[in-house]
Amino acid sequence: MLFSVVSVQSFCSFALFQTVRHGFPYLPTALAFDPVQKILAIGTRTGAIRILGRPGVDCYCQHESGAAVLQLQFLINEGALVSACADDALHLWNLRQKRPAVLHSLKFNRERITYCHLPFQSKWLYVGTERGNTHIVNIESFILSGYVIMWNKAIELSTKTHPGPVVHLSDSPRDEGKLLIGYENGTIVFWDLRSKRADLRAYYDEAIHSVAWHHEGKQFMCSHSDGSLTLWNLKSPNRPFQTTIPHGKIQRDGKKPESCKPILKVEYKTCKNSEPFVIFSGGLSYDKPCRRPSLTIMHGKAITVLEMDHPIVDFLTLCETPYPNEFQEPYAVVVLLEKDLIVVDLTQSNFPIFENPYPIDIHESPVTCTEYFADCPPDLIPVLYSVGAKHKKQGYSNKEWPIIGGAWNLGAQTFPEIIITGHADGSVKFWDASAITLQMLYKLKTSKVFEKQKVGEGKATAEIVEEDPFAVQMMYWCPESRIFCVAGVSAYVIIYRFSKHEVNTEIASLEVRLQCEVEDIITPEPETNPPFPDSSSQLPSLKSLSGSTNTVACEGMMKDSIPCLNVKARPVRMPPGYQADLIIQLVWVDGEPPQQITSLAVNSAYGLVAFGNCNGLAIVDFMQKTVLLSMGTLDLYGSSDPYQRQPRSPRKSRQFAADNFCMRGLSNFYPDLTKRIRTSYQSLTELSDSPVSLELERCKSPTSDHVNGHCTSPTSQSCSSGKRLSSADVLRANRRGPGRPPFRKAQSAACMEISLPVTTEENRESSFSRSRSSSVSSIDRDSKEAITALYFMESFARKNDSAVSSCLWVGTGLGMVIILSLNLPASDDLRQSEPVMVSPSGTVLTMKGAVLTFACLDCMGTLTHQPYEVWRDPYSADDGDKTRKRKLVMQSPSSSQDMGDHQFAVICSEKQAKVFSLPSQTCLYVHNITETSFLLRADVVTLCNSVCLACFCANGHIMTLSLPSLRPLLDINYLPVTDMRIARTFCFTNEGQALYLSSPTEIQRLTYSQEMCDNLQDMLGDLFTPVETPEAQNRGFLKGLFGGSGQAFDREELFGEATAGKASRSLAQHIPGSGGIEGVRGAAGGVIGDLTRARIALDERGQKLGELDERTASMMASAEAFSKHAHEVGALAPTPWNWELSILRPSLCFPLGKLSALLSLHPVLMLEVCSCQLAQHCSCSQTIRMPKINCHCTPLPFTFPEMSIHS
């Protein structure tokens, strides 16, 4: 979908365009397959359609109404698809373009669609409705035929009850003029389309779910609600000649087997050299309630039950021939599950499944975070694939994947792209995302470094995380050094190094105390408090603990120094790939659990990892395995703290709020769809005012924005604002004195709280409700200031610095930026022995709102990358000591020239962006991005050989700003944040790319680069490729004589307007296709544009043809009148010729030899005929169609319209 195009500079232009969607279609409902083109279509409950072919051919399209897709029907080998939706509309999709568009729509007004059937090589679609009627639609014009099969004519007149909705429609393989209609109550009608009456009727006392024909057209099979299968013969329709309950228990007394669960669908496929296949879903016995959903395959006497991991939505049998009256020869079964798609190989006796080439297992465990890397080192993808291929599952079918339709090529604009997804079970997946495809490279299981929790254990973790204790919360990856770091939901950080060798070693671990421990300062006269406390009244420093601890909390005692998870103490076998190098865990402190990590940064050149939460900051040297710094946020300021803070002891509120988002599990990310989660703000508004209103005002700071009650602001602090205030809290508020706020920080950013209803089927439209706080806000109510952003770089730490040095930039939830100096050993030889010193630089910068991201530009405005260590295999035995020496790259090649005497620091917060000149620390540019909302994600990216700042706002806007000037380049209202999932997974990368999790099972990629939009058509796959339809088998003389009806069935003659008339206009409304034209016209090249213009011209031609049809009808009437008059005259006049006049719509046709009789009887008529007609014979042997004469003879005058004369 193309949203806008903004031309901004001579070197680059911007456009926002959805490129491709990966993953499994969310909430699938329908399935269809084209056996000639070999492409698969899946419809969903959200109105989406995914069309899949060979790997790389993956198309996503969406109905504008958003109504659920009920059924899909391919026009086999025609490059078109019909969709029936829950809003009773039919849509015709054109698949002959890379982005399908709707050509026609037909909206039923008075009846609800229940079933559709399109015979092979037919242009007439049968549509069954809830009322039991069957309508017929012309696919070419998408207009209803006047031919209708009414339910009361289909059933017997003696029937007193309505048969129910139409649940099945199919034409007989033996005779296309016979239609089988299945009604829900068990009635089956075999309707003769020519004579407009029922040939036979069959009744069964159980409801029908599906019907399947034998290819000879003499038998059909039905599945029923009692788990039975009935086989019917057309010669004896009074009762089924075979009834079976495949999974029913056989009674000893010979009675009917016990009823089972309904068989929802059955397919009956024949083979030339073996027994037929009967395949059905459901039908299991009721006495096994815990049994998983299954697909049953009956082949001869063998019955195979394939148990599935998820409920079956639909299945299709893939056959060798598209003709229903030939041996089907099934070779595979496509099974669509609620959360998976599998294909079963029928050609092997053990029925193995095919290895699925599509990335449909993204949601194998819920995705909790994503990272996107474009233009990464080219050697990474082959390396990751080589180590990931060793862990692939075995036992797949050795046959080729059967869905191989479409065509795909790499395109002109390709560069290495990698997507990393973190999951709720602790797994991390690396995906190759090059050339808008997606293929899994490597899977890492982070939970393997921890001991498995036994039943009854893990109480410490259970009090912190309700579920999914290994869920990945944050990730940091350095592609150049291949250092990978993961922060888990249970307050731990794991550092991984990449190796091609398997090792068996113990895992080093550190435990860190990071908790605010302050005393209450209660003064009867708050006015006497000094505005800035001196160093003697500063908060005490936090304790740091390195190494393991033996402190254990006994039962009933206060928990202290206990980590949330237990690291394996024994040696662990680690296969090639990413191997754990160090585990850092935050521990309980004085009965308070560790808070989740809110920011993470790693630098391979420095050998340091930094992480922070709402309590403070920790810096760890992962080369020496030591803790360098573990300090509260307030202590980072030193004497530079610009705020007066009212310290409070956490011991007064030691109880841990159960509704604290920051310490809950993954149920917060994917809440129950049937519940509306109340926000913290709504809970607080129920409290009384006066002193409590102070606490309420403090909870409305920018550090506590919420979506569905969850913290969406990147601060993600201990947001337990939903709990009731204790009496101690109220007393503490009163002690501050009347009229004096408990803070001094000026609030320049408006707080926004989002109250979103959870998306349901009834209410998809989510809206924002924004509440603006007062102009002043407090710091966090527990005197905590979360660390929200960390960045290692070479920069000027102080104003008077003359050279760059190693620094760590720290951003907080209150918009403060603190620069810490890092003193590294002078030489790499001393790095393992001498300690790294961390010291405050005294530099503090201010922003509006929580800080999100940092970047550094050189004096030429080129992005300066962080220093990194060139990757080396830590366990390689090659070259001896040479591989042990580290090779460092201190700055990027693009800025390897003299950096000059200054640089630019780019800082972006929730509300604004600033560019500072260093070392002077002068703010050169400032841009207030939003006042009424806040940013969820901001990244500094490269695009078109330049640098820009890409931002995603909570109100749905995507913006780009130039750097360093911060000039707005793009601002488009793209996607309102209606789900926490979008907020947590949206990310930008280089080359104008971005992605987010559009549903729990799908990743949506998009581009904001016009160049990428222009090249997109070359990168997308073709859904339709020219393929010859296979020829029908020769049935032979005897089969043609005795195997079916000898009459040719002309549907056009039977259903056309001339015979059937016009349908009622109030029954259905035809809507010309408009969906996709604008997007196609904006993004397509010449081919798609030509197709669009051709389709518009075709619509106009159709209108003109309609007018011509009306004129032709009037000519038909006059021709019939003339014919009648001619017959009357011929009957009165004596003539030796027994000639007759016949009408061939709309032309008159009669033998040339009888023309003189007509002339003698009607001398008034002047006919234009061949001059050679006196010889009773035309020399040219051609049909003469008047008024244009194809004969080369000399014509005579003619005055009657459109007459054809045959010699």
Side-chain angles (χ1 to χ4, degrees):
M1 185 181 298
L2 185 66
F3 293 89
S4 177
V5 177
V6 183
S7 181
V8 296
Q9 292 177 350
S10 60
F11 58 85
C12 193
S13 59
F14 291 83
L16 193 61
F17 200 93
Q18 292 181 347
T19 55
V20 68
R21 182 169 293 203
H22 301 297
F24 181 75
Y26 183 54
L27 301 175
T29 55
L31 184 67
F33 181 72
D34 187 327
V36 179
Q37 287 289 321
K38 296 190 181 301
I39 57 176
L40 188 76
I42 301 174
T44 72
R45 195 181 302 171
T46 59
I49 298 177
R50 286 282 293 281
I51 304 173
L52 304 172
R54 66 176 66 249
V57 178
D58 187 344
C59 180
Y60 167 83
C61 42
Q62 174 74 41
H63 290 92
E64 291 183 357
S65 64
V69 178
L70 299 180
Q71 196 175 354
L72 296 172
Q73 287 273 321
F74 274 105
L75 277 68
I76 296 177
N77 205 25
E78 295 291 339
L81 176 71
V82 175
S83 60
C85 296
D87 60 349
D88 306 310
L90 297 172
H91 306 276
L92 179 64
W93 294 83
N94 178 18
L95 307 184
R96 294 184 179 239
Q97 55 193 54
K98 293 190 175 183
R99 288 192 177 271
V102 175
L103 295 179
H104 297 282
S105 296
L106 188 66
K107 179 75 166 63
F108 280 74
N109 298 322
R110 296 184 299 183
E111 299 193 51
R112 308 213 64 181
I113 300 173
T114 56
Y115 196 86
C116 297
H117 170 64
L118 180 65
F120 178 47
Q121 293 182 329
S122 170
K123 68 174 184 178
W124 297 95
L125 175 73
Y126 301 111
V127 181
T129 66
E130 194 175 35
R131 293 187 181 180
N133 302 326
T134 302
H135 301 275
I136 302 172
V137 179
N138 187 311
I139 290 297
E140 293 179 351
S141 61
F142 239 60
I143 296 176
L144 272 179
S145 167
Y147 192 113
V148 183
I149 305 174
M150 304 299 292
W151 68 270
N152 53 355
K153 293 183 180 180
I155 64 174
E156 288 184 341
L157 296 177
S158 60
T159 305
K160 297 181 179 180
T161 57
H162 191 279
V166 175
V167 296
H168 178 81
L169 292 169
S170 62
D171 53 339
S172 169
R174 193 179 185 187
D175 184 359
E176 295 177 346
K178 304 292 180 64
L179 184 67
L180 187 71
I181 308 174
Y183 294 95
E184 189 180 55
N185 72 342
T187 301
I188 302 168
V189 176
F190 197 49
W191 184 264
D192 190 330
L193 294 168
R194 301 182 187 89
S195 62
K196 300 183 181 180
R197 63 180 180 83
D199 272 7
L200 61 87
R201 299 179 178 90
Y203 301 94
Y204 195 71
D205 54 0
E206 294 291 341
I208 292 176
H209 285 280
S210 68
V211 182
W213 278 101
H214 187 280
H215 82 275
E216 292 180 350
K218 299 177 182 179
Q219 300 174 357
F220 60 89
M221 182 177 290
C222 300
S223 68
H224 300 277
S225 57
D226 63 344
S228 65
L229 296 173
T230 57
L231 193 61
W232 300 78
N233 196 312
L234 294 181
K235 292 183 179 180
S236 55
N238 295 329
R239 54 178 296 178
F241 77 88
Q242 182 179 336
T243 302
T244 57
I245 302 181
H247 295 294
K249 287 186 177 180
I250 300 176
Q251 304 294 335
R252 294 181 180 179
D253 52 3
K255 293 183 179 179
K256 181 181 177 181
E258 290 183 354
S259 297
C260 295
K261 297 177 183 178
I263 295 180
L264 302 178
K265 184 176 181 179
V266 63
E267 293 208 345
Y268 188 19
K269 302 299 181 182
T270 56
C271 302
K272 194 171 185 178
N273 299 319
S274 65
E275 295 290 329
F277 280 88
V278 177
I279 306 170
F280 61 88
S281 61
L284 296 179
S285 176
Y286 281 108
D287 61 355
K288 296 180 180 179
C290 298
R291 196 167 179 179
R292 294 188 294 180
S294 66
L295 183 80
T296 304
I297 302 176
M298 299 172 62
H299 189 212
K301 295 182 179 180
I303 300 179
T304 304
V305 179
L306 304 178
E307 291 190 342
M308 306 295 171
D309 294 331
H310 309 284
I312 298 175
V313 176
D314 197 359
F315 73 90
L316 287 174
T317 307
L318 309 188
C319 301
E320 296 289 351
T321 176
Y323 294 95
N325 57 355
E326 298 177 356
F327 283 103
Q328 299 298 288
E329 303 294 346
Y331 60 90
V333 179
V334 179
V335 187
L336 177 63
L337 308 178
E338 279 190 358
K339 296 183 179 180
D340 202 358
L341 176 73
I342 65 171
V343 181
V344 181
D345 187 357
L346 294 180
T347 62
Q348 301 182 40
S349 58
N350 59 339
F351 302 130
I353 65 172
F354 290 89
E355 185 177 6
N356 200 319
Y358 308 133
I360 61 172
D361 57 345
I362 293 175
H363 63 288
E364 185 179 14
S365 175
V367 178
T368 56
C369 56
T370 58
E371 292 295 336
Y372 191 7
F373 299 87
D375 206 10
C376 50
D379 60 332
L380 272 177
I381 291 178
V383 167
L384 289 172
Y385 183 79
S386 64
V387 296
K390 299 176 182 178
H391 306 288
K392 285 192 174 182
K393 297 179 181 179
Q394 305 297 324
Y396 291 111
S397 172
N398 54 10
K399 298 290 184 65
E400 183 186 4
W401 177 254
I403 305 169
I404 56 173
W408 176 77
N409 53 24
L410 285 174
Q413 189 182 28
T414 58
F415 40 81
E417 298 176 74
I418 292 178
I419 294 173
I420 307 177
T421 56
H423 298 264
D425 62 353
S427 62
V428 176
K429 294 181 180 180
F430 291 77
W431 306 83
D432 178 9
S434 307
I436 67 170
T437 61
L438 196 69
Q439 182 182 8
M440 196 175 80
L441 298 172
Y442 173 69
K443 182 178 180 180
L444 172 66
K445 296 181 179 179
T446 63
S447 60
K448 286 193 171 182
V449 300
F450 298 105
E451 297 284 359
K452 291 183 179 179
Q453 294 182 349
K454 298 179 181 179
V455 179
E457 294 185 359
K459 294 183 179 179
T461 304
E463 294 184 24
I464 299 175
V465 181
E466 291 181 352
E467 56 187 16
D468 301 315
F470 306 111
V472 178
Q473 189 177 11
M474 302 184 75
M475 300 179 294
Y476 193 98
W477 189 44
C478 177
E480 291 79 11
S481 63
R482 303 184 188 177
I483 293 287
F484 184 63
C485 191
V486 170
V489 74
S490 298
Y492 62 83
V493 173
I494 309 176
I495 300 170
Y496 289 89
R497 291 183 181 271
F498 188 86
S499 175
K500 297 181 180 179
H501 303 275
E502 180 178 321
V503 295
N504 198 334
T505 182
E506 292 188 3
I507 304 174
S509 64
L510 294 175
E511 293 176 0
V512 178
R513 294 172 66 96
L514 194 60
Q515 194 80 3
C516 234
E517 298 184 9
V518 294
E519 299 295 333
D520 270 346
I521 301 176
I522 302 175
T523 55
E525 297 180 359
E527 288 79 4
T528 61
N529 287 343
F532 293 94
D534 55 20
S535 59
S536 62
S537 62
Q538 286 295 306
L539 305 178
S541 300
L542 297 172
K543 303 173 184 179
S544 65
L545 178 66
S546 63
S548 61
T549 177
N550 296 323
T551 306
V552 179
C554 300
E555 187 69 29
M557 295 180 62
M558 182 184 300
K559 296 177 181 178
D560 188 66
S561 301
I562 301 176
C564 298
L565 301 171
N566 296 323
V567 180
K568 290 181 178 178
R570 60 185 183 278
V572 177
R573 186 190 72 84
M574 290 182 280
Y578 275 105
Q579 301 165 350
D581 185 60
L582 176 65
I583 301 175
I584 308 164
Q585 290 183 284
L586 297 180
V587 296
W588 287 66
V589 178
D590 295 338
E592 295 233 357
Q595 300 297 297
Q596 283 185 3
I597 294 167
T598 58
S599 57
L600 177 67
V602 183
N603 191 278
S604 57
Y606 301 162
L608 303 179
V609 58
F611 58 93
N613 59 12
C614 60
N615 287 330
L617 172 69
I619 303 176
V620 174
D621 184 343
F622 62 81
M623 295 182 66
Q624 298 185 19
K625 309 292 191 293
T626 58
V627 179
L628 301 180
L629 177 73
S630 177
M631 184 176 289
T633 310
L634 305 183
D635 295 333
L636 296 176
Y637 292 99
S639 60
S640 304
D641 188 0
Y643 304 131
Q644 176 189 359
R645 303 171 192 261
Q646 200 66 270
R648 295 175 50 200
S649 171
R651 293 189 177 92
K652 295 296 182 67
S653 57
R654 190 164 291 153
Q655 66 275 13
F656 181 74
D659 60 343
N660 185 346
F661 165 74
C662 295
M663 301 304 295
R664 289 174 68 92
L666 266 294
S667 58
N668 293 285
F669 300 153
Y670 308 104
D672 187 0
L673 294 177
T674 62
K675 298 179 181 179
R676 180 185 176 91
I677 302 175
R678 298 178 60 194
T679 62
S680 306
Y681 176 76
Q682 291 170 329
S683 301
L684 287 169
T685 53
E686 298 174 358
L687 304 177
S688 59
D689 49 3
S690 66
V692 182
S693 64
L694 292 173
E695 200 69 24
L696 171 62
E697 186 65 31
R698 296 168 65 184
C699 295
K700 291 167 62 179
S701 68
T703 61
S704 61
D705 300 321
H706 289 72
V707 175
N708 281 349
H710 308 320
C711 199
T712 61
S713 172
T715 53
S716 297
Q717 299 183 15
S718 174
C719 316
S720 53
S721 56
K723 63 181 180 182
R724 299 279 179 169
L725 300 182
S726 64
S727 58
D729 296 329
V730 177
L731 179 61
R732 192 173 295 110
N734 286 331
R735 285 175 177 171
R736 294 193 182 101
R740 177 164 181 177
F743 45 82
R744 291 185 58 187
K745 177 178 182 293
Q747 164 76 350
S748 56
C751 167
M752 184 180 77
E753 188 161 56
I754 304 176
S755 175
L756 293 176
V758 179
T759 304
T760 61
E761 191 171 353
E762 293 82 9
N763 180 21
R764 292 193 181 91
E765 297 296 328
S766 299
S767 59
F768 287 87
S769 64
R770 300 177 175 89
S771 61
R772 187 180 181 105
S773 69
S774 64
S775 60
V776 187
S777 177
S778 72
I779 61 174
D780 182 74
R781 61 181 181 179
D782 284 335
S783 298
K784 296 177 181 179
E785 185 175 358
I787 305 297
T788 59
L790 295 167
Y791 192 74
F792 289 100
M793 64 174 161
E794 297 282 309
S795 68
F796 300 93
R798 301 171 184 84
K799 284 188 177 182
N800 56 356
D801 283 357
S802 59
V804 296
S805 59
S806 302
C807 298
L808 173 63
W809 289 58
V810 182
T812 73
L814 296 183
M816 308 306 297
V817 178
I818 306 167
I819 303 179
L820 300 179
S821 295
L822 306 175
N823 188 5
L824 300 170
S827 63
D828 187 62
D829 298 334
L830 302 175
R831 180 64 183 85
Q832 293 287 354
S833 56
E834 291 192 6
V836 178
M837 304 300 295
V838 182
S839 59
S841 66
T843 300
V844 178
L845 306 176
T846 59
M847 298 289 294
K848 186 190 297 184
V851 180
L852 297 183
T853 190
F854 298 101
C856 182
L857 309 180
D858 61 17
C859 59
M860 303 298 294
T862 305
L863 181 64
T864 303
H865 294 286
Q866 299 184 46
Y868 65 88
E869 174 191 0
V870 177
W871 175 77
R872 58 186 177 91
D873 196 327
Y875 299 103
S876 175
D878 299 338
D879 299 332
D881 294 337
K882 291 184 180 179
T883 57
R884 300 294 178 185
K885 192 169 183 179
R886 303 168 71 219
K887 181 180 179 181
L888 305 182
V889 178
M890 299 308 292
Q891 56 191 9
S892 64
S894 61
S895 58
S896 59
Q897 68 275 12
D898 184 16
M899 294 181 62
D901 57 354
H902 72 279
Q903 61 181 189
F904 301 107
V906 181
I907 308 174
C908 184
S909 71
E910 289 179 321
K911 297 289 184 178
Q912 66 176 190
K914 288 184 178 180
V915 175
F916 292 89
S917 177
L918 301 179
S920 66
Q921 299 179 8
T922 304
C923 182
L924 300 179
Y925 304 99
V926 60
H927 179 74
N928 292 318
I929 299 174
T930 177
E931 291 292 340
T932 59
S933 184
F934 58 91
L935 296 185
L936 294 170
R937 181 78 183 214
D939 292 291
V940 177
V941 297
T942 58
L943 176 63
C944 300
N945 298 320
S946 61
V947 186
C948 64
L949 176 65
C951 308
F952 178 56
C953 194
N955 60 14
H957 283 251
I958 290 180
M959 294 161 281
T960 57
L961 306 173
S962 66
L963 290 177
S965 61
L966 294 179
R967 189 156 50 88
L969 305 178
L970 176 73
D971 187 353
I972 291 178
N973 187 6
Y974 169 67
L975 178 73
V977 181
T978 57
D979 202 307
M980 184 66 195
R981 182 190 318 106
I982 302 173
R984 291 194 62 86
T985 59
F986 200 102
C987 55
F988 297 95
T989 188
N990 298 329
E991 307 300 334
Q993 306 268 39
L995 66 79
Y996 63 94
L997 211 66
S998 58
S999 73
T1001 62
E1002 294 171 292
I1003 288 177
Q1004 177 66 59
R1005 291 168 67 180
L1006 50 97
T1007 180
Y1008 48 94
S1009 165
Q1010 180 63 56
E1011 183 182 2
M1012 181 70 177
C1013 291
D1014 295 338
N1015 296 324
L1016 187 61
Q1017 290 299 315
D1018 296 332
M1019 302 173 70
L1020 293 174
D1022 292 300
L1023 298 175
F1024 178 81
T1025 54
V1027 178
E1028 284 193 20
T1029 302
E1031 294 183 1
Q1033 294 178 2
N1034 188 4
R1035 303 184 66 190
F1037 174 75
L1038 293 179
K1039 281 193 175 182
L1041 185 62
F1042 301 106
S1045 173
Q1047 277 184 291
F1049 181 56
D1050 187 358
R1051 293 187 178 92
E1052 179 68 33
E1053 181 178 357
L1054 192 60
F1055 303 143
E1057 187 177 322
T1059 305
K1062 291 185 178 180
S1064 173
R1065 291 186 178 181
S1066 60
L1067 182 60
Q1069 176 188 1
H1070 175 257
I1071 304 170
S1074 59
I1077 290 182
E1078 291 80 3
V1080 168
R1081 184 179 299 162
V1087 175
I1088 302 302
D1090 291 342
L1091 283 176
T1092 305
R1093 287 188 290 273
R1095 185 167 65 82
I1096 295 173
L1098 186 62
D1099 292 340
E1100 295 174 354
R1101 181 174 177 270
Q1103 295 176 0
K1104 293 179 180 179
L1105 286 176
E1107 298 172 358
L1108 181 60
D1109 285 343
E1110 294 178 0
R1111 293 197 298 269
T1112 304
S1114 63
M1115 292 170 59
M1116 272 283 301
S1118 62
E1120 289 176 359
F1122 171 77
S1123 172
K1124 182 179 179 182
H1125 184 58
H1127 277 289
E1128 292 174 355
V1129 174
L1132 294 175
T1135 175
W1137 303 288
N1138 186 17
W1139 61 274
E1140 61 181 16
L1141 191 68
S1142 62
I1143 299 176
L1144 297 181
R1145 302 174 309 185
S1147 302
L1148 292 173
C1149 175
F1150 50 88
L1152 183 62
K1154 302 174 183 178
L1155 179 62
S1156 58
L1158 183 62
L1159 292 175
S1160 62
L1161 295 174
H1162 296 273
V1164 179
L1165 289 174
M1166 297 297 295
L1167 297 175
E1168 183 176 4
V1169 297
C1170 293
S1171 59
C1172 56
Q1173 56 89 18
L1174 298 178
Q1176 311 292 319
H1177 164 227
C1178 181
S1179 61
C1180 63
S1181 300
Q1182 293 185 6
T1183 297
I1184 306 171
R1185 295 190 176 273
M1186 304 303 183
K1188 181 179 180 181
I1189 298 179
N1190 297 323
C1191 180
H1192 54 264
C1193 304
T1194 305
L1196 298 176
F1198 170 71
T1199 58
F1200 193 80
E1202 288 208 27
M1203 179 175 291
S1204 294
I1205 303 175
H1206 295 285
S1207 59

